[in-house]
Amino acid sequence: MDSDDEFLDDGLDFDAIPTGTLLQLEQSAWQATQAPQHDERSQQPGLQTDRNQLNYESQYNAPQRRQSGFYGNVEVIDLDADLLGNDEPLEDVVKSNPPIAQNVLHGHAASQRQYTPVQTQNIQSVQDSHDREIGAKIEEFSRQYDAINEQLASAREDVTKKTGEVAILRANLTKQAQEFERTIASLRAQLTELTTKNKGVEQAAINDRQKLETENLFLREELRDEALRVNNLRAKKRAEAPQTPRKQRTLPFRDGFDDDEIGVGSPTKSSGGRSKRGTPSVSGKRKRKVSDAPIPMAPLQLSQGIGAMEAETLALDSMDTTTEERGHISEGFEEGFYMTQILNHRNYPNAESDLEVMAGLAFPSEPDRKISSIVLETMSGVTSNYPVKYAHCLIQLWDRALVEKFYKVVPSFMDSIKFILLLDLYSISPQLTTELAGILQASIYVNAATRFEHSAVSSKVKGESRRTPRTVLHADVDSTFALEIMYLLALACRQDDESHEHLWRNIHFDILLMTLNDHQPLQDIVLSLKILSTSLRQNSFGTIQPSEAEQRQVEYHFIERVTCLLFQRIEPDEGEEDYLPLQICQMRLEALTFLEMITFYSFEMTTDASKTAIISYPLVLPRLFRTLYDEMDRLYTLCPEHSIRTALINRLTHLIYRLIRSGGGKNLHEGLSRLSGAKQKHRLVLSRLAFSEGQYLESGITEETMEMARQLLEEEDMSPEEAEALFDAFPTGGRLSGREGTQVEQWHIRS
């Protein structure tokens, strides 16, 4: 009790005590229970700092709030709430109680420590969770950093690898460039050496020729001098022979007497005009008779000089020797000339030679070896027959290019082979028949087979036809160029029967028949027809087959294909324009030429097996009549190809007339019935030709054609009514109406 009394207020009025005094007492009491430990920051005076601290506490510590901590849910009372209530500024409190301002600040710090037991655990838990979050983020950032470092290391490793690869590629490229430069330098050196060598050979040949010409001139001069000397010797011998003396014909007095006939007498011994008597003659003495026989002469002895005939013989012998030497020299010069021409050949529009073009190309199977090096290695030891051996080398490379489908180099091979053939066509071509025929057919097949697959013959739907897309064709393998070379080869081999037979045994029937399809280029069809025209032989034509039956079958196929070209439409490739009518007419004239060669090649068509093929084929005449009707119908539309169409009509009529007269018209009506409307077209076209006026649109049709058509029309089995109708349709009778005795006129008279 006494202890309680000690703390009695003794009637003190605590409300009257100023707020600062109470605060000081409270702080003194609290300090008495605590050790005198102060923080440096709390000991630093500063009004602005304490104000900020107090404002911070007043902002984040409510006057009364419930907190959860070590002591459970307790209410915390903020003792500063009354001191600074009503928004009283701290500066006013400090000014009103300057003695205790320092204590207030310390008291505030102490009051903050007063709540420490309750708030520390909360702060610690928040700090732990915050640390964990920061640790997690740090770990995440560490992982990201490690991943980025790994990516960076991988990228640096890739960059190092790429740098190494680039360095290797650059080294290889530099090596290839150096090798290419060495190859080019080697080729140029070889070419320069060959050129120099060729120039030396050419200059030697020129010098030899000049020497021979000079020697020839000297020999001619010597021969002429020798002949002149022989003639002089003959004249001299003739002059030295004894001759009858002749009188002098000087006649100085010109009086008609010779000098020895004038005698002058002495004037002192004149006898008065009488002459002195001579020696008296003895009577009966014989007189010497004068003989008229010539004086005997010794035979003329010729000198032992060289005669004219012997001189001529020696000159001819020397000329023969010179000719033989010149032949050997000309052969060497020709070889050098061919080699120079071949090595310097250029393909238009290339400005480089063939070897220079080949120096930039290599086969896919051997990319490190240029084609030009292969050619030069192959031809390095060749000294004779250079063009043929060079062509053999190119043909082997050409075949390799087709096998590897490396078509880029094929045009260069084609142009070079054609150039070599044209150097000496009839001498070089027979030596290349087998190899060249095979490689040409392989080149033709590359695009011809693709076009054939798009034709109506190969279509799954009957009659469906499609143009060949350009994307499926190989432009580098020109089938037209290959057919041109084959045509040259066929023309050259035709001069020799053995070469001709050998060629047509090596040509395949299916490839040549494929090139006559209506989906092939028009120029290819024309060239194929020309090549086929060179195959005519005794009793056969076309490719040579092992048996007679197979030969006849092949001939039937060729005739069937050629007759179809007379009326079929020729389809160009996709994206190309249609062919002009003039071009179509020229192609049909070429097809007609082939049929005419078969028909008119021999007069005995019934005994020639190859001629019976065109007669026995049942659709030849119907197709010819159909073509004749179509051309006659187009003739009535004035067109630029009018003259070509009239020539086609005349030649078709002659061919039809020849075939019918040779026995080909026996089954004509049966064949006409197999074609739609062929019977009517047959009779109509014969009527148009038979009664043609030959003027205006029909100009160009010859009278011979009209006469043939009229004879064929007269042989038709027509009734009088049909003849009358025909005569009414053509009242003028045509150009041949003045001729009498025709069957049509007789029918008209009867009716």
Side-chain angles (χ1 to χ4, degrees):
M1 187 70 182
D2 294 338
S3 62
D4 295 330
D5 295 335
E6 292 178 358
F7 295 95
L8 292 177
D9 52 5
D10 294 332
L12 293 175
D13 188 5
F14 291 98
D15 297 328
I17 299 173
T19 304
T21 304
L22 290 175
L23 183 59
Q24 183 179 5
L25 292 175
E26 183 181 356
Q27 293 293 333
S28 298
W30 182 81
Q31 289 176 1
T33 61
Q34 299 292 332
Q37 297 176 358
H38 300 283
D39 195 285
E40 288 181 336
R41 269 192 246 171
S42 61
Q43 292 178 359
Q44 293 176 359
L47 181 62
Q48 185 65 31
T49 304
D50 296 337
R51 181 174 179 271
N52 292 336
Q53 186 69 23
L54 291 175
N55 288 336
Y56 174 81
E57 292 295 332
S58 64
Q59 181 179 0
Y60 291 99
N61 295 324
Q64 184 176 358
R65 59 183 179 180
R66 187 175 296 275
Q67 297 212 2
S68 175
F70 179 78
Y71 294 97
N73 295 328
V74 296
E75 291 181 358
V76 180
I77 300 172
D78 191 359
L79 297 177
D80 294 334
D82 294 334
L83 296 175
L84 300 174
N86 299 325
D87 297 330
E88 183 179 2
L90 183 63
E91 289 80 357
D92 297 338
V93 175
V94 173
K95 290 178 181 181
S96 61
N97 300 284
I100 62 172
Q102 186 68 28
N103 293 330
V104 170
L105 296 176
H106 288 289
H108 178 73
S111 64
Q112 189 176 15
R113 292 190 187 96
Q114 184 180 0
Y115 306 126
T116 300
V118 181
Q119 296 179 352
T120 300
Q121 186 175 1
N122 296 331
I123 295 172
Q124 187 66 30
S125 62
V126 172
Q127 186 68 26
D128 292 340
S129 63
H130 183 64
D131 291 342
R132 285 193 296 272
E133 291 177 359
I134 292 174
K137 290 183 179 180
I138 290 173
E139 291 179 359
E140 183 179 358
F141 289 154
S142 299
R143 287 193 299 271
Q144 293 178 359
Y145 179 76
D146 294 338
I148 291 172
N149 286 336
E150 291 178 358
Q151 294 178 0
L152 182 60
S154 176
R156 288 176 177 174
E157 185 178 357
D158 292 341
V159 169
T160 304
K161 290 181 180 179
K162 296 295 182 182
T163 305
E165 292 176 358
V166 169
I168 293 172
L169 291 176
R170 286 179 178 174
N172 292 337
L173 182 61
T174 304
K175 182 179 179 181
Q176 291 180 358
Q178 293 175 355
E179 183 179 357
F180 177 75
E181 292 294 335
R182 287 195 298 269
T183 304
I184 291 296
S186 176
L187 291 175
R188 287 178 178 173
Q190 293 177 5
L191 184 60
T192 304
E193 182 180 357
L194 289 174
T195 305
T196 306
K197 183 178 178 180
N198 294 334
K199 287 183 178 179
V201 173
E202 183 180 359
Q203 186 63 34
I206 292 173
N207 294 336
D208 292 339
R209 184 185 64 183
Q210 294 177 353
K211 181 180 178 181
L212 291 174
E213 290 178 353
T214 305
E215 291 179 356
N216 189 19
L217 291 176
F218 277 111
L219 290 174
R220 288 182 180 179
E221 188 67 24
E222 291 176 1
L223 181 61
R224 186 173 57 185
D225 294 341
E226 192 66 26
L228 182 60
R229 190 174 69 83
V230 170
N231 292 332
N232 292 334
L233 288 174
R234 288 179 178 178
K236 184 177 181 181
K237 289 294 182 181
R238 192 181 299 113
E240 292 177 356
Q243 296 179 358
T244 304
R246 296 181 181 180
K247 296 180 180 181
Q248 297 292 333
R249 296 189 180 275
T250 55
L251 302 177
F253 298 103
R254 302 297 180 184
D255 54 358
F257 298 96
D258 294 335
D259 293 341
D260 55 353
E261 294 179 353
I262 301 176
V264 180
S266 175
T268 60
K269 296 183 176 180
S270 176
S271 56
R274 295 178 65 182
S275 63
K276 184 178 181 182
R277 184 182 299 270
T279 304
S281 61
V282 180
S283 60
K285 188 178 180 181
R286 292 180 302 173
K287 295 182 179 180
R288 186 174 55 187
K289 296 181 180 181
V290 179
S291 177
D292 297 331
I295 300 172
M297 297 175 55
L300 182 62
Q301 298 292 332
L302 297 177
S303 63
Q304 298 299 323
I306 300 177
M309 295 299 295
E310 295 178 357
E312 291 178 1
T313 303
L314 293 175
L316 291 175
D317 293 339
S318 62
M319 290 177 66
D320 293 338
T321 305
T322 305
T323 304
E324 293 178 359
E325 295 176 355
R326 186 181 301 174
H328 293 295
I329 294 174
S330 63
E331 289 179 2
F333 177 74
E334 187 176 3
E335 288 292 331
F337 173 75
Y338 285 160
M339 182 169 56
T340 304
Q341 292 294 319
I342 291 171
L343 295 178
N344 292 331
H345 178 253
R346 290 175 172 81
N347 294 331
Y348 180 81
N350 294 334
E352 300 176 344
S353 63
D354 293 346
L355 281 177
E356 292 175 342
V357 174
M358 295 178 191
L361 300 173
F363 288 109
S365 61
E366 200 174 3
D368 297 333
R369 189 182 183 189
K370 303 302 180 182
I371 298 177
S372 59
S373 63
I374 300 176
V375 175
L376 293 176
E377 290 174 4
T378 306
M379 300 302 297
S380 59
V382 176
T383 57
S384 62
N385 204 8
Y386 192 87
V388 176
K389 294 181 180 179
Y390 190 86
H392 278 296
C393 176
L394 292 185
I395 290 172
Q396 293 175 0
L397 296 176
W398 187 352
D399 181 67
R400 180 178 175 182
L402 293 180
V403 171
E404 298 184 11
K405 295 185 178 181
F406 183 61
Y407 299 136
K408 187 177 180 180
V409 74
V410 172
S412 179
F413 291 153
M414 285 187 179
D415 197 79
S416 298
I417 290 294
K418 183 178 179 181
F419 177 76
I420 292 173
L421 291 180
L422 292 176
L423 289 175
D424 192 352
L425 182 63
Y426 297 102
S427 175
I428 297 175
S429 298
Q431 303 179 54
L432 302 173
T433 302
T434 304
E435 297 84 355
L436 189 55
I439 195 64
L440 287 174
Q441 291 177 89
S443 301
I444 293 169
Y445 183 81
V446 172
N447 288 326
T450 305
R451 292 188 174 103
F452 184 79
E453 291 174 356
H454 288 78
S455 64
V457 179
S458 303
S459 178
K460 296 180 180 180
V461 181
K462 185 178 180 181
E464 182 182 3
S465 177
R466 300 169 296 163
R467 291 194 175 188
T468 308
R470 292 185 178 180
T471 55
V472 299
L473 298 175
H474 301 282
D476 291 329
V477 187
D478 191 356
S479 57
T480 304
F481 202 176
L483 286 169
E484 289 178 1
I485 299 174
M486 183 175 285
Y487 181 53
L488 290 176
L489 183 64
L491 289 177
C493 293
R494 193 177 182 182
Q495 307 300 320
D496 181 44
D497 293 339
E498 184 178 355
S499 300
H500 186 258
E501 182 179 356
H502 185 63
L503 172 65
W504 285 100
R505 287 188 184 276
N506 286 277
I507 293 179
H508 299 285
F509 154 73
D510 52 350
I511 292 181
L512 190 58
L513 192 65
M514 189 187 301
T515 58
L516 295 173
N517 186 264
D518 56 349
H519 267 59
Q520 303 298 334
L522 190 64
Q523 189 62 27
D524 289 12
I525 297 174
V526 172
L527 288 170
S528 300
L529 289 170
K530 291 182 178 180
I531 293 171
L532 190 60
S533 299
T534 63
S535 67
L536 293 178
R537 300 177 299 276
Q538 188 68 26
N539 296 328
S540 65
F541 67 89
T543 57
I544 298 177
Q545 302 300 320
S547 64
E548 186 69 20
E550 292 178 357
Q551 185 67 37
R552 297 286 83 81
Q553 190 68 24
V554 166
E555 292 172 357
Y556 284 145
H557 284 302
F558 278 125
I559 291 174
E560 191 273 338
R561 184 67 253 157
V562 173
T563 52
C564 286
L565 291 175
L566 294 175
F567 58 87
Q568 280 185 339
R569 173 184 171 84
I570 308 301
E571 291 288 346
D573 295 335
E574 189 177 58
E576 295 184 1
E577 297 181 356
D578 293 337
Y579 296 111
L580 299 175
L582 179 63
Q583 296 174 322
I584 300 296
C585 289
Q586 292 174 347
M587 183 273 296
R588 289 175 178 170
L589 281 175
E590 195 63 41
L592 188 60
T593 301
F594 170 70
L595 297 175
E596 287 174 344
M597 292 180 68
I598 299 176
T599 305
F600 299 105
Y601 186 71
S602 174
F603 291 100
E604 297 295 333
M605 294 189 63
T606 57
T607 59
D608 196 340
S610 63
K611 309 305 180 293
T612 57
I614 190 172
I615 297 175
S616 58
Y617 188 69
L619 293 180
V620 171
L621 283 172
R623 288 176 177 174
L624 291 177
F625 274 115
R626 174 181 177 178
T627 306
L628 183 61
Y629 174 82
D630 294 340
E631 295 301 327
M632 193 71 186
D633 191 54
R634 295 188 186 99
L635 196 64
Y636 295 119
T637 59
L638 188 61
C639 52
E641 65 276 5
H642 180 83
S643 59
I644 298 181
R645 291 195 186 279
T646 54
L648 190 58
I649 290 171
N650 291 328
R651 293 172 62 178
L652 277 169
T653 307
H654 283 65
L655 180 59
I656 292 171
Y657 185 82
R658 173 71 176 182
L659 291 175
I660 291 177
R661 287 291 181 264
S662 301
K666 296 179 181 179
N667 300 323
L668 176 60
H669 293 283
E670 181 182 353
L672 291 172
S673 61
R674 297 175 61 177
L675 298 179
S676 178
K679 287 186 176 181
Q680 294 78 8
K681 291 180 179 180
H682 154 254
R683 185 166 295 180
L684 184 57
V685 71
L686 287 179
S687 302
R688 285 181 174 179
L689 288 173
F691 297 100
S692 174
E693 296 291 342
Q695 298 178 359
Y696 303 110
L697 296 178
E698 295 180 353
S699 61
I701 300 177
T702 62
E703 292 186 0
E704 188 178 5
T705 300
M706 299 176 192
E707 182 62 30
M708 290 179 181
R710 178 164 291 192
Q711 291 181 18
L712 295 176
L713 186 62
E714 289 174 355
E715 295 174 1
E716 288 293 315
D717 188 12
M718 290 188 297
S719 63
E721 290 78 9
E722 292 176 343
E724 181 65 24
L726 188 61
F727 191 81
D728 293 339
F730 300 96
T732 59
R735 186 188 298 180
L736 304 180
S737 60
R739 301 182 182 181
E740 299 179 355
T742 59
Q743 186 177 355
V744 176
E745 293 176 354
Q746 292 176 3
W747 285 339
H748 181 260
I749 293 172
R750 293 174 186 174
S751 62

